[in-house]
Short mmCIF file of all heavy atoms in Angstrom, two decimals:
data_model
loop_
_atom_site.label_atom_id
_atom_site.label_comp_id
_atom_site.label_asym_id
_atom_site.label_seq_id
_atom_site.Cartn_x
_atom_site.Cartn_y
_atom_site.Cartn_z
N CYS A 1 -0.81 -9.47 -14.56
CA CYS A 1 -0.99 -10.92 -14.45
C CYS A 1 -2.43 -11.32 -14.18
O CYS A 1 -2.87 -12.39 -14.59
CB CYS A 1 -0.08 -11.47 -13.37
SG CYS A 1 1.67 -11.40 -13.80
N SER A 2 -3.16 -10.47 -13.48
CA SER A 2 -4.55 -10.80 -13.19
C SER A 2 -5.50 -10.26 -14.25
O SER A 2 -6.68 -10.61 -14.27
CB SER A 2 -4.96 -10.23 -11.83
OG SER A 2 -4.93 -8.81 -11.85
N GLN A 3 -4.96 -9.38 -15.14
CA GLN A 3 -5.78 -8.74 -16.17
C GLN A 3 -7.02 -8.10 -15.54
O GLN A 3 -8.13 -8.19 -16.06
CB GLN A 3 -6.17 -9.74 -17.26
CG GLN A 3 -4.97 -10.32 -17.99
CD GLN A 3 -5.37 -11.27 -19.11
OE1 GLN A 3 -6.48 -11.77 -19.18
NE2 GLN A 3 -4.43 -11.50 -20.03
N SER A 4 -6.79 -7.46 -14.39
CA SER A 4 -7.89 -6.89 -13.62
C SER A 4 -8.09 -5.40 -13.91
O SER A 4 -7.11 -4.66 -14.04
CB SER A 4 -7.64 -7.06 -12.12
OG SER A 4 -7.57 -8.41 -11.76
N LYS A 5 -9.32 -5.01 -13.97
CA LYS A 5 -9.64 -3.59 -14.01
C LYS A 5 -9.61 -3.02 -12.60
O LYS A 5 -9.39 -1.83 -12.40
CB LYS A 5 -11.02 -3.37 -14.64
CG LYS A 5 -11.09 -3.70 -16.12
CD LYS A 5 -12.47 -3.39 -16.68
CE LYS A 5 -12.52 -3.68 -18.19
NZ LYS A 5 -13.85 -3.40 -18.75
N GLU A 6 -9.83 -3.89 -11.63
CA GLU A 6 -9.88 -3.45 -10.24
C GLU A 6 -9.15 -4.44 -9.36
O GLU A 6 -9.36 -5.65 -9.46
CB GLU A 6 -11.34 -3.33 -9.79
CG GLU A 6 -11.51 -2.85 -8.37
CD GLU A 6 -12.97 -2.74 -7.96
OE1 GLU A 6 -13.83 -2.81 -8.86
OE2 GLU A 6 -13.24 -2.60 -6.76
N ILE A 7 -8.27 -3.92 -8.51
CA ILE A 7 -7.58 -4.76 -7.52
C ILE A 7 -7.65 -4.07 -6.16
O ILE A 7 -7.93 -2.87 -6.08
CB ILE A 7 -6.11 -5.01 -7.88
CG1 ILE A 7 -5.31 -3.70 -7.84
CG2 ILE A 7 -5.97 -5.70 -9.22
CD1 ILE A 7 -3.81 -3.90 -7.93
N HIS A 8 -7.39 -4.84 -5.12
CA HIS A 8 -7.29 -4.29 -3.77
C HIS A 8 -5.97 -4.79 -3.19
O HIS A 8 -5.82 -5.99 -2.92
CB HIS A 8 -8.47 -4.72 -2.91
CG HIS A 8 -9.80 -4.27 -3.43
ND1 HIS A 8 -10.26 -2.98 -3.24
CD2 HIS A 8 -10.73 -4.90 -4.17
CE1 HIS A 8 -11.45 -2.85 -3.81
NE2 HIS A 8 -11.75 -4.00 -4.39
N LEU A 9 -5.04 -3.88 -3.03
CA LEU A 9 -3.71 -4.23 -2.55
C LEU A 9 -3.41 -3.42 -1.29
O LEU A 9 -3.39 -2.19 -1.33
CB LEU A 9 -2.66 -3.94 -3.63
CG LEU A 9 -1.18 -4.05 -3.23
CD1 LEU A 9 -0.86 -5.44 -2.71
CD2 LEU A 9 -0.29 -3.70 -4.42
N GLU A 10 -3.18 -4.12 -0.19
CA GLU A 10 -2.87 -3.48 1.08
C GLU A 10 -1.40 -3.70 1.43
O GLU A 10 -0.90 -4.83 1.37
CB GLU A 10 -3.72 -4.08 2.21
CG GLU A 10 -5.21 -3.99 2.01
CD GLU A 10 -5.96 -4.77 3.09
OE1 GLU A 10 -5.46 -4.83 4.24
OE2 GLU A 10 -7.03 -5.33 2.78
N GLY A 11 -0.73 -2.64 1.80
CA GLY A 11 0.63 -2.74 2.30
C GLY A 11 0.63 -2.40 3.77
O GLY A 11 -0.01 -1.42 4.18
N ILE A 12 1.28 -3.20 4.59
CA ILE A 12 1.35 -2.92 6.02
C ILE A 12 2.80 -2.99 6.49
O ILE A 12 3.62 -3.70 5.91
CB ILE A 12 0.49 -3.89 6.86
CG1 ILE A 12 1.04 -5.33 6.76
CG2 ILE A 12 -0.97 -3.84 6.44
CD1 ILE A 12 0.46 -6.28 7.79
N ASP A 13 3.09 -2.25 7.55
CA ASP A 13 4.43 -2.30 8.13
C ASP A 13 4.35 -1.92 9.60
O ASP A 13 3.56 -1.04 9.99
CB ASP A 13 5.39 -1.35 7.41
CG ASP A 13 6.83 -1.62 7.79
OD1 ASP A 13 7.44 -2.51 7.18
OD2 ASP A 13 7.35 -0.94 8.71
N PHE A 14 5.15 -2.58 10.42
CA PHE A 14 5.17 -2.31 11.86
C PHE A 14 5.52 -0.85 12.13
O PHE A 14 4.97 -0.23 13.06
CB PHE A 14 6.19 -3.24 12.52
CG PHE A 14 6.17 -3.22 14.02
CD1 PHE A 14 5.28 -4.03 14.71
CD2 PHE A 14 7.04 -2.42 14.73
CE1 PHE A 14 5.26 -4.02 16.11
CE2 PHE A 14 7.03 -2.40 16.13
CZ PHE A 14 6.13 -3.21 16.82
N HIS A 15 6.42 -0.29 11.33
CA HIS A 15 6.82 1.11 11.47
C HIS A 15 6.15 2.00 10.41
O HIS A 15 6.71 3.02 10.00
CB HIS A 15 8.34 1.24 11.36
CG HIS A 15 9.10 0.56 12.46
ND1 HIS A 15 8.91 0.86 13.78
CD2 HIS A 15 10.05 -0.41 12.43
CE1 HIS A 15 9.70 0.12 14.53
NE2 HIS A 15 10.40 -0.67 13.73
N GLY A 16 4.99 1.59 9.97
CA GLY A 16 4.33 2.29 8.87
C GLY A 16 4.05 3.75 9.10
O GLY A 16 4.03 4.54 8.16
N SER A 17 3.85 4.15 10.36
CA SER A 17 3.53 5.55 10.63
C SER A 17 4.67 6.47 10.21
O SER A 17 4.44 7.61 9.78
CB SER A 17 3.21 5.75 12.11
OG SER A 17 4.28 5.30 12.92
N SER A 18 5.91 5.99 10.32
CA SER A 18 7.05 6.83 9.92
C SER A 18 7.24 6.87 8.41
O SER A 18 7.81 7.81 7.87
CB SER A 18 8.34 6.33 10.59
OG SER A 18 8.64 5.01 10.17
N HIS A 19 6.74 5.85 7.72
CA HIS A 19 6.88 5.79 6.26
C HIS A 19 5.69 6.39 5.52
O HIS A 19 5.79 6.71 4.33
CB HIS A 19 7.03 4.33 5.80
CG HIS A 19 8.24 3.64 6.32
ND1 HIS A 19 9.51 4.11 6.13
CD2 HIS A 19 8.37 2.48 7.02
CE1 HIS A 19 10.38 3.29 6.70
NE2 HIS A 19 9.71 2.29 7.24
N LYS A 20 4.57 6.53 6.21
CA LYS A 20 3.33 6.83 5.51
C LYS A 20 3.36 8.10 4.67
O LYS A 20 2.83 8.10 3.55
CB LYS A 20 2.17 6.89 6.50
CG LYS A 20 0.81 6.87 5.80
CD LYS A 20 -0.31 6.53 6.76
CE LYS A 20 -1.62 6.39 5.99
NZ LYS A 20 -2.74 6.00 6.88
N PRO A 21 3.95 9.22 5.14
CA PRO A 21 3.94 10.43 4.30
C PRO A 21 4.55 10.21 2.91
O PRO A 21 3.97 10.63 1.91
CB PRO A 21 4.76 11.43 5.13
CG PRO A 21 4.55 10.99 6.54
CD PRO A 21 4.52 9.49 6.47
N GLU A 22 5.71 9.55 2.83
CA GLU A 22 6.32 9.33 1.52
C GLU A 22 5.58 8.27 0.72
O GLU A 22 5.48 8.36 -0.50
CB GLU A 22 7.81 8.96 1.65
CG GLU A 22 8.10 7.64 2.30
CD GLU A 22 9.58 7.29 2.29
OE1 GLU A 22 10.12 6.99 1.21
OE2 GLU A 22 10.20 7.33 3.37
N VAL A 23 5.03 7.26 1.42
CA VAL A 23 4.28 6.23 0.71
C VAL A 23 3.01 6.81 0.10
O VAL A 23 2.63 6.46 -1.02
CB VAL A 23 3.94 5.05 1.64
CG1 VAL A 23 3.03 4.05 0.93
CG2 VAL A 23 5.21 4.35 2.10
N GLU A 24 2.35 7.70 0.83
CA GLU A 24 1.12 8.31 0.31
C GLU A 24 1.38 9.02 -1.01
O GLU A 24 0.56 8.98 -1.93
CB GLU A 24 0.56 9.30 1.33
CG GLU A 24 -0.01 8.65 2.59
CD GLU A 24 -1.34 7.96 2.35
OE1 GLU A 24 -1.97 8.23 1.32
OE2 GLU A 24 -1.74 7.13 3.19
N LEU A 25 2.53 9.68 -1.13
CA LEU A 25 2.89 10.34 -2.38
C LEU A 25 3.17 9.31 -3.47
O LEU A 25 2.80 9.50 -4.63
CB LEU A 25 4.12 11.23 -2.17
CG LEU A 25 3.94 12.45 -1.27
CD1 LEU A 25 5.28 13.13 -1.04
CD2 LEU A 25 2.96 13.44 -1.91
#
């Protein structure tokens, strides 16, 4: 939708430390 070559997208979560290993993959 932005037709961008470059974007910056941040995802945050209160319990992110428990999700981070699978999200990193």
